[in-house]
Amino acid sequence: MGLPRLIFVTGKGGTGKSTIAAALALALARRRRCLLASLDGRSSAAQMLGLEAGGESPATRRAAAAPEPLKFDRRAELEAFIGRIVPMRAIANRMLRSRTFGYVTAAVPGLEAFLLMERLRIVAGDAALNDYYVVADAPASGSALEMLAVAAGLRALAPLGTLNRLAAGVETMLTDPRRFGVILTATPEELGVREALDTARRLGELRIRRIAALLNCAVDPLFDAAEVEALRKLDGHRELAARRRELARRTAAARRQLSAAGMDVIELPMLFRAELHGRELANLARRLGAAVVADEAAG
Amino acid sequence: MKPPVESILAKRLVICVGPGGVGKTTSSAMLALVAAGAGRAVDVMTIDPAPRLLDALGLDAGSNQPQAVSLDGLGRGRRGRMRAMRMDPKHTFDRIIERYAPSAAARDAILANRIYRNLSQTLAGVADYMAIERLLELHEQGGADLIVLDTPPAAEAIDFLDAPRRLLEFLNSRAVTLLGASGNMLRGGLSIVDFAARAVLAAFDRVTGLHLLRDVQGFIRGFDGMYPGFVERAARAQALLRDPSCTAIIVTTAERERIAQVSSFVEGLTAAGVAIGAVLVNRVSAELPRPTGARRGDIGPALRRKLAANLADFRALKRREQGALAAIRDAIPAGVPLIIAPELGYEPRSLRDLTEIGRRLKPG
């Protein structure tokens, strides 16, 4: 199956979610129109591509076409939503201005998160209709799972009415493998991998498609055991070779655990660079392009 | 203990703040161990620790009470004592309700209320507020020389520090009070705008199918009589955080993307009047060993090339890390010390590992 229209990138904090979302959007944008949606409120991924500042980073200059940034403003989503359910503008405005209303919406569990999901549903529908892709730079896996489960929660709270109907629509979108899927990022360290595995299990329960696990900062062993043995008189080199092999061992363990959970594992190499520039991002995009976007290239 | 750790652990209260994924919880436990190893009686309160850390601390997943941590076999030195505790926001909130509810009926009504159940789990800031609340409890119970508090992951320090004010504002807003009042109480006291607010809420309820208004009213009525207790405790908590015996430690890693986050924590804490004891940079890699020259004849050309490549790789990573470290140093105020915590080369999974990190802390 090819990529879904909406690709949701999440993982433990510090595993490179934004970088991967940016690289993936860049890879897709070379083939098709692609939107890069920031759900973390900070637009980190878009900033990496220099999409916000107006200036173009080297990574985007080389691209045939750059991804288009898409930002979500919770307040604006709430206003749009109220505008839809309360057709009379004067009343809608009064509701929005009322402090009471602000507090009640704060107390309704996840109303804001839900409105974000509703917005994503609309965007995904449009993407399918007009043949483009949306990459979402999502929050860390804990908050991301809350967002993905919020529609089901709201349906339980409001068994009838507009909200229930909208929530059902969001659930349908989330469980449609052609419209929605998640890429889980991890680095080869125990906590990150465990969080990815927990998230994968939870996504399975929610019947949400897992596109792949993306193992970032993967390290190859470079030396075999015999070579390390041959270094026995060269203390410094031997220690560095041992460090390398330890990082590689963790990479292999992470790879094993993630595939044992039934996920395709895509590896991105650790970038042994003193500084990371747009060039490195473009490199990641090329690798991701080969691994993830291959199906789309033909289409 | 060496400075700057010594002066920090001489405080009564240390709050570890920082973005997600930097090792706040591990660092909190590590600092508590360092202090206990120096003879102090320490309580550490963790939030959502990894299972392995729970094991290491001897905590079971459901426990909400302080449990003694055995310090046996962790090296010489004066031995203090350490207790660890896991914070569960929902449980803490329930206990507060139980404490302040004017009657058993009011208590049950609140605990069963749909709005309360959602509020206690999902309203932004409740976890933060409950951490502060628990801190206050521990502080007032006494029994510890030092309390180390881990905080929920946050984008900004203000999320945590501002929590009591936000919760109080919610509970005390005229609008919410208005919702909770019955029709009779309202007669004569309402402006047109208030009536309009009620009317639009009723419309919202109807259209969305949420039927929240009744629950909101029940919730607010239940809180009648509890409010003064809340206000008073929140004020005490705020005073405690600003007290000179309290200090905050910003935990970070030596990565470029952390620099702006650290600056925002510095700003937030400064604005809130909370002292910053140090910035702790976690998982800083060890110095690179000085490679001995490989003589021709010892090893073949292929291996020699690999050695050169490997050395270049690790040097590049080290330069990247040092660049980030220098930028973090520039981003923090002049008087705030930097503490470097080493990357062990393996993941810390026991008290012994944490002790090892503590032993190797150094000024940055």
Side-chain angles (χ1 to χ4, degrees), chain B residues 216-231:
Chain B
V216 172
Q217 288 175 342
F219 173 70
I220 304 297
R221 268 190 223 127
F223 261 90
D224 252 10
M226 281 198 259
Y227 184 73
F230 265 88
V231 174

Side-chain angles (χ1 to χ4, degrees), chain B residues 291-353:
Chain B
T292 35
R295 279 200 311 276
R296 217 174 289 275
D298 280 358
I299 50 173
L303 183 52
R304 190 185 296 274
R305 273 195 300 276
K306 282 189 188 176
L307 290 179
N310 196 36
L311 184 61
D313 282 354
F314 276 104
R315 280 184 175 156
L317 283 191
K318 194 67 190 165
R319 273 204 303 281
R320 184 157 100 206
E321 183 181 86
Q322 280 169 341
L325 207 53
I328 289 172
R329 200 176 286 121
D330 288 345
I332 63 180
V336 175
L338 206 63
I339 300 174
I340 306 291
E343 156 78 57
L344 289 180
Y346 50 88
E347 292 180 44
R349 54 182 65 192
S350 66
L351 294 186
R352 199 178 286 275
D353 296 341

Side-chain angles (χ1 to χ4, degrees), chain A residues 168-233:
Chain A
V170 168
E171 276 197 291
T172 309
M173 185 270 292
L174 291 179
T175 50
D176 176 354
R178 285 160 307 155
R179 270 194 289 172
F180 189 85
V182 176
I183 286 185
L184 286 169
T185 61
T187 47
E189 50 98 36
E190 216 173 300
L191 285 180
V193 172
R194 182 167 31 221
E195 196 163 314
L197 293 173
D198 287 348
T199 310
R201 191 173 36 73
R202 187 78 188 101
L203 289 175
E205 288 164 9
L206 293 168
R207 291 180 293 119
I208 291 174
R209 176 179 171 195
R210 299 164 300 190
I211 302 169
L214 212 144
L215 185 55
N216 200 6
C217 301
V219 175
D220 61 56
L222 197 60
F223 303 96
D224 60 32
E227 285 173 323
V228 175
E229 177 60 22
L231 296 174
R232 63 189 179 283
K233 284 185 190 154

